[in-house]
Amino acid sequence: MDTFVWSLLRTRGLSALWLLLLLSPTALALYNIGVGRADSTGPSAEIVFMGYAKLEQKGNGLHLRTFSRAYIIDDGAERFVFVNVDSGMMGHDIRQEVLRKLKTQFGDMYTERNVMISATHTHSAPGGYMLNVLFDLPTFGFARESLDAIVNGITKSIQRAHNAVVPGRIFIAHGKVLNVNINRSPQAYLQNPKSERDKYEDNVDKILTQIQFIGADDEPLGVINWFAVHPTSMNNTNHLISSDNVGYASILFEKMMNKNSAVGTGPFVAAFASTNLGDVSPNIRGPKCEFSGNNCSEQYTCPGKKEMCFASGPGKDMFESTSIIAHKLYQESARLWQSNEAVEVFGPIRAVHQYVDMPEQSAEFYNETTGKFENVHGCVPAMGYSFAAGTTDGPGSFAFEQGTTTPNIFWNAVRNFLAAPTESDIRCHSPKPILLATGRMKLPYLWQPKIVPTQVAVIGNVVIAGVPGEFTTMSGRRLREAIKKVVNNASSDETVVIVAGLCNIYSDYITTPEEYQIQRYEGASTIYGPHTLTIYLKQYRELAQAAIQGKSVPPGPAPPELLQSGVLTLVPPVLFDTPQWGRNFGDVIQQPPKVASPGDTVSAIFVAGHPRNNLMTESTFLSVERLEDDEVWISIATDADWETKFQWTRTNVILGSSQVTITWEIPQDVTPGEYRIRHNGYYRYVLGDVYPYYGVTNQFHVKVPAPNIRQRYYGH
């Protein structure tokens, strides 16, 4: 019977599945499910953050650790892995390194076809791992420590998920989150046809989609939430590693489910993953001129020479804004989890994957203006002028403005010095004026990818489309509708399509052809030309069709692996550490106060080594400890907790002297008692060896003030 069932499913797709479910509703209800999590935090000092392309935004500490969260789903015949990583982007070489490591342990079980790796897109994590020149240029080239941290974290999370596989069930639910996101390019969105815009209430998606994983014994296993918002609540003045709003939402959900477990531990794994977030900002107060507070111009510029047009979040600063957005995401996701709104997912798993050489692709496009179909092509990668203008989440440099469709003689001369676009390139990208002909730039190696991975996974009536970049709101909506149409033609059941963003490689933005015309930041960063989306719609329709029919697809031409051919780095190594005169590593320079209360922020300063000597992966640079039973110190917070901050400062560059400042914002629900702060680190001896050290502060008393009589009487 089993052989017959799977044979029928492979030949007839989802429509056959639903026939079988009607005959035997429980036959295919159970999947094999595994979840795993691992620390993927890169170097917290001296490496430029990925995302804002701001050279001076080097890390000097840690606020929230970054994690990789892996989910394995197996129906007995097919296996699919979804990985959510707290990182800015995902690189092809990272994925290949992960697959190589998995192959040594599991053979051909995990491949390009069934492993989908999605980046959250936090802009406050170390860069230097992308291996395309344009993306690593702001980080002074390749940083091996960054790449190794992410590769090892992803690999370990998949290994842990593999070792935790148990029988289970899958459910899907949808909720709505308000006052969390706005469209940062509303002018571009308005270029889309009114008839299309009228189908939707908002110019950004407000729907949160949640997939729940429950063991056959009803034990909660994990959850994935998809919601469209940029993790840019932490702005480009931040120098502390952070997983930003979606990362903190994951921590909040896991703390709810794992009770007393430390952050990053516990069996339940919760992810908040990226989707069509391309034009979506969490800075919901909108753009204002940073000094005057006046409204920005239509091009999001300000009159002052050095005055930028910034959008801000709902809080008094970026930390409070991050917390507010994270809590709103968490609250709706927790409500969905605890409600009875989820619907069970039934059916087989199918995964397909294909590499696509984008400049070589063509597709058919219906031109609403002419009322005719046109044959359109992809372009050799190039970035437009408005790319240099940045966004209201992080404005760019010089005098570039969003919405620029006219070239400048000076900047064209600078561009041509690096690499000149061909006349064909200029025509293909029109109306984008090309600022960087990245597809023609090959020194010291490729600046942007020409070949991208495309991937679709079907789990019953749920389709996950892994896309290699940032789809705008309407681009994501068109992709979902295109895939739905294909799948619904083969099944009587309504399909749920999830756009999983920034998967497997990074190829910048994907706007609609209409949005592309006015060349805001997102259009200028759509690197394969005005019909990038048109090509993707065709490609994902074909992948979805192949998946539901159980057909294989040709692998396509693989992108080059740049790590194997040598890379450029200008990131200096740590040479040696020396303690301050008369001090030892771990000595406390500044002690915390003797008494503190909830809401207070206590701090301590230690003589330190360089944090890059040891990234303390799956460990901690700090711990806040409470004295138990007058004899045992227990850790109640680490550098992965929201309430703590770890900040490193080089006090003498020549001598290699450093210090770290550790702060703890005492939570309102703290247990009164005796506390101390501990710092763990490593220093590099002048002859090259690395040695551990630690330091602890004096103990201090945390007291909880008793409520006054009036408060007690009125129950406040």
Side-chain angles (χ1 to χ4, degrees):
M1 177 61 180
D2 287 346
T3 302
F4 168 74
V5 167
W6 289 114
S7 175
L8 182 59
L9 289 174
R10 289 179 191 278
T11 56
R12 297 303 300 273
L14 290 177
S15 56
L17 164 67
W18 291 106
L19 174 62
L20 289 171
L21 290 176
L22 290 173
L23 297 174
S24 179
T26 61
L28 297 173
L30 286 183
Y31 296 89
N32 294 312
I33 298 169
V35 300
R37 181 200 313 101
D39 188 352
S40 61
T41 309
S44 59
E46 294 190 323
I47 304 296
V48 178
F49 287 167
M50 171 72 75
Y52 290 116
K54 192 174 181 182
L55 296 176
E56 60 268 31
Q57 196 188 9
K58 289 183 179 180
N60 66 7
L62 179 60
H63 183 215
L64 293 176
R65 281 193 173 264
T66 59
F67 293 94
S68 172
R69 296 172 170 90
Y71 301 81
I72 293 175
I73 311 169
D74 189 307
D75 64 3
E78 184 79 79
R79 176 165 289 207
F80 171 64
V81 184
F82 181 81
V83 184
N84 185 67
V85 192
D86 292 326
S87 66
M89 292 93 169
M90 186 45 50
H92 175 68
D93 283 79
I94 287 178
R95 189 180 184 221
Q96 295 307 109
E97 287 290 294
V98 169
L99 292 176
R100 270 191 283 271
K101 286 177 175 286
L102 293 174
K103 187 177 180 66
T104 62
Q105 187 174 356
F106 304 112
D108 294 329
M109 181 174 290
Y110 300 110
T111 66
E112 294 168 329
R113 185 181 58 79
N114 67 353
V115 175
M116 183 183 291
I117 306 176
S118 174
T120 63
H121 201 36
T122 174
H123 285 40
S124 291
Y129 56 82
M130 289 297 293
L131 296 166
N132 285 115
V133 175
L134 184 67
F135 306 136
D136 283 350
L137 196 61
T139 64
F140 299 98
F142 176 61
R144 184 82 210 197
E145 298 151 300
S146 291
L147 183 134
D148 287 345
I150 296 175
V151 167
N152 293 337
I154 295 171
T155 304
K156 190 170 290 186
S157 68
I158 295 174
Q159 290 169 338
R160 288 174 175 170
H162 178 96
N163 294 331
V165 167
V166 294
R169 302 162 72 190
I170 302 174
F171 298 83
I172 189 165
H174 304 279
K176 194 169 188 178
V177 190
L178 302 177
N179 301 318
V180 164
N181 58 357
I182 62 170
N183 195 308
R184 70 185 187 192
S185 286
Q187 303 97 323
Y189 181 86
L190 288 172
Q191 302 305 303
N192 295 305
K194 185 177 184 302
S195 58
E196 182 179 36
R197 289 185 278 115
D198 287 345
K199 297 177 184 177
Y200 306 98
E201 291 183 19
D202 301 290
N203 62 3
V204 292
D205 288 337
K206 304 287 186 179
I207 300 301
L208 183 147
T209 298
Q210 181 178 92
I211 289 185
Q212 306 169 356
F213 302 96
I214 310 292
D217 58 358
D218 290 331
E219 186 71 20
L221 301 176
V223 67
I224 309 174
N225 302 279
W226 283 273
F227 185 79
V229 66
H230 253 79
T232 49
S233 292
M234 301 297 293
N235 62 41
N236 64 13
T237 66
N238 173 48
H239 293 273
L240 302 180
I241 288 178
S242 173
S243 52
D244 213 290
N245 45 44
V246 292
Y248 187 30
S250 295
I251 290 171
L252 291 169
F253 205 118
E254 289 179 347
K255 291 186 78 164
M256 175 185 74
M257 300 302 295
N258 291 322
K259 304 303 179 187
N260 297 322
S261 298
V263 173
T265 66
F268 189 91
V269 179
F272 283 76
S274 62
T275 178
N276 55 320
L277 51 68
D279 52 358
V280 188
S281 170
N283 296 310
I284 58 177
R285 286 185 180 174
K288 299 285 183 182
C289 293
E290 61 178 324
F291 302 137
S292 66
N294 296 330
N295 290 332
C296 306
S297 72
E298 286 189 6
Q299 296 304 322
Y300 289 170
T301 61
C302 295
K305 288 185 178 181
K306 294 185 178 180
E307 190 171 20
M308 297 290 188
C309 178
F310 268 106
S312 60
K316 66 179 184 292
D317 58 26
M318 59 183 167
F319 291 98
E320 186 176 76
S321 293
T322 300
S323 179
I324 291 170
I325 299 298
H327 274 85
K328 287 184 178 182
L329 293 173
Y330 156 69
Q331 287 160 3
E332 177 61 9
S333 61
R335 185 196 69 79
L336 282 176
W337 179 269
Q338 294 161 352
S339 72
N340 59 357
E341 299 173 21
V343 177
E344 188 161 7
V345 175
F346 297 91
I349 297 170
R350 296 286 180 270
V352 292
H353 176 280
Q354 189 174 53
Y355 288 114
V356 177
D357 188 339
M358 289 297 289
E360 298 299 319
Q361 301 305 301
S362 62
E364 198 172 60
F365 173 70
Y366 180 72
N367 189 324
E368 296 224 359
T369 302
T370 63
K372 296 180 180 179
F373 284 96
E374 302 172 0
N375 192 47
V376 296
H377 300 267
C379 307
V380 173
M383 303 294 282
Y385 274 55
S386 297
F387 150 74
T391 72
T392 54
D393 289 340
S397 303
F398 303 106
F400 290 100
E401 295 181 4
Q402 294 197 61
T404 300
T405 56
T406 304
N408 174 282
I409 295 175
F410 171 76
W411 289 114
N412 277 2
V414 174
R415 172 201 69 194
N416 293 344
F417 177 77
L418 297 170
T422 66
E423 287 299 320
S424 175
D425 293 339
I426 294 171
R427 287 193 303 273
C428 189
H429 281 276
S430 178
K432 175 201 291 179
I434 296 175
L435 178 65
L436 292 173
T438 51
R440 304 294 176 187
M441 300 164 76
K442 299 178 182 178
L443 292 176
Y445 39 90
L446 292 179
W447 280 58
Q448 281 181 310
K450 294 181 180 180
I451 299 170
V452 299
T454 58
Q455 191 174 18
V456 164
V458 177
I459 309 163
N461 67 315
V462 177
V463 180
I464 302 176
V467 299
E470 303 178 57
F471 275 56
T472 61
T473 298
M474 193 61 85
S475 293
R477 288 169 174 172
R478 289 187 189 177
L479 180 62
R480 290 198 296 262
E481 290 303 313
I483 293 175
K484 273 185 183 181
K485 186 174 181 180
V486 170
V487 178
N488 287 342
N489 286 341
S491 171
S492 60
D493 190 72
E494 185 64 27
T495 303
V496 176
V497 179
I498 296 167
V499 176
L502 297 102
C503 283
N504 305 326
I505 204 170
Y506 184 67
S507 60
D508 289 89
Y509 283 75
I510 300 91
T511 61
T512 68
E514 295 87 350
E515 292 166 349
Y516 184 93
Q517 298 304 307
I518 68 166
Q519 283 296 290
R520 287 191 56 77
Y521 175 84
E522 295 80 11
S525 304
T526 298
I527 66 175
Y528 304 119
H531 289 287
T532 301
L533 176 63
T534 310
I535 293 167
Y536 278 134
L537 293 179
K538 174 188 174 184
Q539 174 66 13
Y540 280 92
R541 278 193 291 260
E542 292 175 356
L543 290 183
Q545 189 71 49
I548 62 174
Q549 292 180 347
K551 294 181 178 179
S552 60
V553 297
E561 292 186 36
L562 302 177
L563 190 61
Q564 308 302 317
S565 59
V567 291
L568 174 68
T569 180
L570 299 176
V571 179
V574 180
L575 299 177
F576 60 89
D577 295 292
T578 304
Q580 298 174 23
W581 181 258
R583 297 279 192 174
N584 293 313
F585 291 108
D587 283 357
V588 183
I589 301 173
Q590 176 184 302
Q591 296 283 355
K594 293 181 179 180
V595 180
S597 301
D600 291 347
T601 298
V602 299
S603 63
I605 300 176
F606 297 82
V607 177
H610 201 297
R612 283 170 57 196
N613 292 327
N614 188 312
L615 305 186
M616 306 298 284
T617 306
E618 309 229 313
S619 182
T620 180
F621 286 107
L622 70 90
S623 59
V624 179
E625 300 176 338
R626 186 177 68 241
L627 185 61
E628 287 279 299
D629 301 324
D630 294 327
E631 58 182 17
V632 178
W633 290 97
I634 64 167
S635 175
I636 58 96
T638 70
D639 62 19
D641 282 273
W642 177 265
E643 295 79 15
T644 65
K645 293 184 179 74
F646 171 83
Q647 186 169 350
W648 170 84
T649 305
R650 180 68 91 186
T651 57
N652 191 307
V653 176
I654 296 174
L655 297 178
S657 300
S658 306
Q659 66 184 35
V660 297
T661 302
I662 294 172
T663 59
W664 177 44
E665 185 177 340
I666 304 177
Q668 295 296 328
D669 60 352
V670 68
T671 301
E674 298 300 311
Y675 286 80
R676 70 181 187 183
I677 296 174
R678 178 187 178 104
H679 165 50
N680 307 302
Y682 283 75
Y683 70 90
R684 184 175 295 277
Y685 186 52
V686 67
L687 298 180
D689 291 333
V690 173
Y691 300 95
Y693 69 89
Y694 74 92
V696 294
T697 66
N698 298 336
Q699 68 185 59
F700 57 95
H701 182 70
V702 175
K703 64 178 183 179
V704 179
N708 62 41
I709 296 175
R710 183 178 180 84
Q711 286 177 322
R712 287 202 300 268
Y713 180 80
Y714 288 105
H716 295 320

